[in-house]
Amino acid sequence: METIPKDLQRLVYWAIELLGDSIKNQYGGSVYKLVEKTRRDMKSIRAVSHKEAIKVLEKNKKIISNLDTEQLKQIAHSFSLMLELINRCESAYRHQRLEGMSHQSFKQLPHAVIFVFTAHPTEARSPEILSLFQKIYELLIQALEEGFEGVKDKLKYCLDLSLNVSMARSAKPSVEDEACHLYSYVLRDEILSNQIKFAKNDIVVNFRSWVGGDKDGHPGVNSKTMIASLNYSRNRLLDFIEKRLNSALEDIRFLGQVPKEKLELVNLISSLKALRKITRDDGSRIVEFKKRLEQTKSTIESKGVLFPDLEDVTRLLWLYPAIVMPLEIREDSELVHEALDDPKLAICGMLSKIEEISRGYKAKWYARGFILSMCESSEDLSAGLSLVKKVFGGYRIPVVPLFETAKSLSESVQILGEYFSKHKSIKKEHQKHMNERFEVMLGYSDSSKESGVFPSRYLISRALRRLDVYFKKEQLTPVFFHGSGGSVERGGGSIKEQMQWWPKSAVNIFKATTQGEMIARNFQSDRIMSSQVHKIVESLNSKGSNTGFEARLLNKLCANVQKRYKELVLDEDFRKNILASTPYSYLDALKIGSRPSKRQTESQKLRAIPWVLCWTQTRVLL
């Protein structure tokens, strides 16, 4: 604890002591003593020899083996809550530390900072426990700001409740459950207000979502779940808009006798009801609403007063043109080929539904891209292009290759060169209608699963630099979409660490996936979100990324690691050891995410993220 700030230490010790009191109160003194003894014993073996550690572990194993099922559950639950509580203490301290921090002015601002939110593929916590710990987090902030004594009783009450609530989900979450949870987190008033604040300062912070659009290997995703996801974000955004319009309505009375302006605003608010459910030709209704908003705003502002609430609504509609969080649609390249001949496949229905609801407006405000996973050839890209043109009658949403294998990462420039050569109009479409931007996604998890972590990062790094040069030559602006998730094991880590080896173009338009546990960490409050954005801007204005390496040696190292890694993971004894020493065999029993943990089309069926999960639970990283 020597390197941990004193204020954070105090908060952790105080909160854990309260949890201990709750354990005594709810489970009894004997369970508390077992929990405390186990905690102290585990702490004692951090710096001892392996032989000594084994002795302590064997002793504890003997004690635990004599406990009944209820006692085991209570002990496991106590430790789980302790870890949750420590994490929330850290988040609360982080929030408090960021208060009043000034950020430097920057010479260069990014074109865009784009966060793409994914469902948490390993989230097994129950909605009830997540809700309770959100309250606990808020109480911890209050404790830091106003003193511990003022919130002690409320915090103790929440901890008492948490000891009686299941930590684990009783049922596997649906896609709709994941969408509801995600949007309740990132489309809160304080986060949306922060987005608007950034926009006022010429920093564009965009949000996108995969929840409901990521069909790849997910039998639970279809056009119905996609529309449900769009509807969840629509209603969160409409709630924000309605509050702001009602606030403006309250203030209109200060302008004196303004019956016309008031009536227009009342009618505008009433018209929101018709937008609550997304149906056919939704795009036309959105365009009509935006016209009425501008007309009402113009009428009111003719009095010479600018209403901040109306300004904020206008900026929000600039950030969310279709009043939804736009989805990223994804499907496996192999199935995209099949979809050209089989319109009954789910991906056809999803794209057709986007075409249907977006009529009268631009489809890209509902779906920002059609991502082709396991894209390994120009033919894969051509198939995606053909399907989009077939459904939409033209190139209405961009087709995005996802390079996630060693082969596709190494041959990415060649694949794009062949694609542009076959379809000469595509480059012009991107130059004329898409601000010269062309997007490429880079897969971290699957490339790590295939080749090992170091080769994955090195292959991505090489692909980034080659593509950067290629796009400049083709007079296109690259948008590099990093499927890094956020956690270290998936290729993330701190923003600074991630971006050190990216070309500057990848920071100028920052786009990366943000996975469930990182959403909770980085969007816990508006201050923490602001800190993340400022780190990205700081990186853009830094001297540049670290490119000083010996390519020949790294190429050799990469090849050797790839070879050794594949020999290791394909060995039959290794697979037996995995089953014995990791949670591999329990993954199907856990209620983690709506997405299946396994694919049906691979020899190694386990998905990349659960595969990584096996290692991280044992702290053995390859």
Side-chain angles (χ1 to χ4, degrees), residues 121-122 172 215-220 332 446 449 575 578-579 583-590 592-611 613-614:
T122 56
K172 201 173 180 69
K215 174 59 190 165
D216 177 28
H218 196 326
D332 186 282
D446 276 288
K449 181 188 171 188
R575 297 177 70 80
I578 289 300
L579 290 172
Y584 188 107
S585 57
Y586 292 92
L587 288 172
D588 281 341
L590 293 174
I592 51 173
S594 67
R595 194 169 176 168
S597 62
K598 297 178 181 177
R599 292 179 183 269
Q600 298 301 315
T601 56
E602 298 181 37
S603 57
Q604 280 187 344
K605 291 183 178 180
L606 196 66
R607 284 184 174 277
I609 296 167
W611 173 254
L613 176 65
C614 288

Side-chain angles (χ1 to χ4, degrees), residues 351-593:
L351 292 172
S352 296
K353 185 61 71 172
I354 292 292
E355 188 279 328
E356 180 185 298
I357 64 174
S358 66
R359 288 173 195 165
Y361 206 19
K362 293 181 179 178
K364 69 177 183 178
W365 300 136
Y366 295 85
R368 288 300 289 172
F370 180 31
I371 299 164
L372 311 177
S373 62
M374 292 295 167
C375 182
E376 295 201 312
S377 68
S378 60
E379 286 77 17
D380 289 339
L381 270 167
S382 296
L385 175 64
S386 297
L387 187 59
V388 166
K389 285 185 172 182
K390 182 178 178 180
V391 172
F392 290 92
Y395 191 47
R396 300 291 178 262
I397 60 173
V399 175
V400 179
L402 169 48
F403 299 131
E404 53 189 331
T405 64
K407 179 181 183 294
S408 63
L409 287 166
S410 299
E411 298 176 3
S412 54
V413 169
Q414 180 186 336
I415 291 168
L416 288 175
E418 290 175 2
Y419 176 61
F420 287 150
S421 179
K422 289 177 187 175
H423 308 280
K424 298 191 184 298
S425 64
I426 288 299
K427 190 167 79 170
K428 291 178 182 176
E429 282 282 343
H430 281 266
Q431 288 171 332
K432 188 174 180 181
H433 300 296
M434 300 182 189
N435 296 323
E436 300 181 345
R437 297 178 183 180
F438 191 94
E439 185 172 327
V440 169
M441 187 173 180
L442 304 149
Y444 287 62
S445 294
D446 276 288
S447 58
S448 293
K449 181 188 171 188
E450 179 196 35
S451 299
V453 176
F454 171 72
S456 161
R457 304 304 173 265
Y458 182 56
L459 290 166
I460 290 171
S461 176
R462 284 200 308 175
L464 278 170
R465 298 188 185 286
R466 289 172 178 172
L467 287 165
D468 188 47
V469 171
Y470 174 74
F471 281 125
K472 284 176 184 173
K473 184 177 68 116
E474 295 294 322
Q475 297 180 306
L476 290 167
T477 301
V479 178
F480 293 117
F481 180 8
H482 298 266
S484 55
S487 61
V488 175
E489 295 81 9
R490 291 195 65 200
S494 74
I495 285 176
K496 184 178 179 181
E497 288 167 346
Q498 288 188 65
M499 296 191 296
Q500 276 181 335
W501 48 277
W502 294 358
K504 204 155 192 175
S505 60
V507 186
N508 202 24
I509 301 176
F510 173 96
K511 185 172 184 180
T513 53
T514 302
Q515 193 179 304
E517 81 275 17
M518 300 309 294
I519 295 170
R521 177 177 170 82
N522 295 336
F523 294 84
Q524 187 87 61
S525 73
D526 55 344
R527 290 181 198 168
I528 296 174
M529 172 195 164
S530 294
S531 173
Q532 294 298 302
V533 174
H534 282 117
K535 285 174 185 175
I536 294 166
V537 182
E538 285 167 11
S539 181
L540 180 64
N541 285 267
S542 66
K543 292 180 180 178
S545 58
N546 180 15
T547 58
F549 53 76
E550 171 53 60
R552 183 180 60 83
L553 289 175
L554 285 184
N555 286 338
K556 187 175 180 181
L557 176 63
C558 178
N560 286 343
V561 172
Q562 276 179 292
K563 180 175 181 293
R564 189 71 190 90
Y565 172 83
K566 288 183 178 180
E567 288 173 357
L568 179 67
V569 299
L570 293 175
D571 184 87
E572 191 57 38
D573 288 338
F574 176 78
R575 297 177 70 80
K576 288 177 183 175
N577 290 335
I578 289 300
L579 290 172
S581 61
T582 72
Y584 188 107
S585 57
Y586 292 92
L587 288 172
D588 281 341
L590 293 174
K591 307 297 188 289
I592 51 173

Side-chain angles (χ1 to χ4, degrees), residues 149-163:
E149 283 303 314
V151 300
K152 182 178 177 180
D153 290 341
K154 288 182 180 178
L155 182 57
K156 178 72 166 48
Y157 167 69
C158 287
L159 291 172
D160 283 345
L161 290 177
S162 69
L163 286 161

Side-chain angles (χ1 to χ4, degrees), residues 188-199:
R188 304 195 315 275
D189 282 13
E190 66 172 306
I191 299 296
L192 291 173
S193 296
N194 210 28
Q195 263 189 292
I196 292 167
K197 183 180 174 182
F198 272 115

Side-chain angles (χ1 to χ4, degrees), residues 5 16 81-82 140 185 208 253 287 336 351 361 383 410 553:
I16 294 300
L81 291 178
M82 184 180 74
L140 291 169
Y185 224 102
R208 310 280 183 252
R253 59 196 170 91
V287 170
V336 173
L351 292 172
Y361 206 19
S410 299
L553 289 175

